[in-house]
Each structure stands twice: as C-alpha cells, then as structure tokens.
Amino acid sequence: MKEQLDLFPQEELQQQEAGSIEIPEEKIITDTEWCFQFFNNEPIVFAWSNEDEEPAPLVLQLQPTEGEGLNFQQNGMTFRVFPREISEETKQQRAEQNASQNKEA
C-alpha cells in the first residue's frame, strides 16, 4: 500500500480526508465448488473439492489440437471453448498489436 501511495500521492490525501481505508483480506473457501452460469440463470456446478482436503486451484488447460474443447450446457444453450486455426483477421490483429507493443518498447 505504501508503494502505491508513493506512486499516487493524491490518493493519500483522499484517504486522509475519508479516514482509513481497509482492504479486505481474501477469504479462502474451505469447501469449494466451481460453477458456470449463463446470464442470471441458476449456476451449474461442474467441479468440487474433496472433503477434508484443502481445495486446489481450478486449472482448465486445452491443447492446441483439433477436436479439443470444453463445453458447458444449460437449458439448450452451449458455451464452448476450443482451439482452431488462426484466421487472417486474427493474424492482422496480432500483427497490429505486436507492432504497437514494439513501438512502446
């Protein structure tokens, strides 16, 4: 926090005026389930932690191979994550982004 105030001294003034600002600590969920949700529909549980074990992070890894993918379905809707050959449009966007980053460096 001190480092942030050194970078942004105006925030220190705001904090002095507003009083002490507390940043809540992250609360680890000890018995965890992971969900997906479409819009405001009911969340769908697709994974959970084992009882009496510390929950590990959920990592979704898809390989860049044909046929690879991950589908979530609810009420006839499907949310799909998948790799495919890069399109010409994406190649152009990538080139523009790389060129922009190279100018900044």
Side-chain angles (χ1 to χ4, degrees):
M1 181 85 170
K2 173 77 173 107
E3 299 83 27
Q4 291 174 337
L5 293 177
D6 290 340
L7 294 174
F8 304 103
Q10 71 278 9
E11 290 184 17
E12 184 173 18
L13 293 175
Q14 291 171 351
Q15 285 183 359
Q16 289 173 356
E17 293 169 5
S20 178
I21 296 175
E22 287 189 33
I23 299 174
E25 290 187 34
E26 289 182 345
K27 181 181 178 284
I28 301 295
I29 302 170
T30 56
D31 200 11
T32 306
E33 64 183 21
W34 286 267
C35 306
F36 70 90
Q37 183 177 28
F38 290 97
F39 310 106
N40 287 326
N41 295 347
E42 186 68 23
I44 304 299
V45 176
F46 69 93
W48 52 82
S49 59
N50 289 328
E51 264 185 300
D52 301 324
E53 290 183 14
E54 183 176 328
L58 175 68
V59 178
L60 302 175
Q61 181 176 346
L62 299 175
Q63 297 297 324
T65 57
E66 288 185 19
E68 185 81 344
L70 179 63
N71 293 333
F72 297 102
Q73 296 180 341
Q74 181 186 26
N75 298 333
M77 295 181 288
T78 300
F79 173 74
R80 185 169 174 231
V81 180
F82 61 96
R84 69 178 186 186
E85 289 287 331
I86 193 167
S87 67
E88 291 302 318
E89 181 180 349
T90 303
K91 285 180 185 179
Q92 183 178 353
Q93 290 173 348
R94 178 177 62 187
E96 290 169 2
Q97 183 178 15
N98 289 342
S100 173
Q101 289 174 350
N102 289 338
K103 286 182 184 177
E104 294 172 5

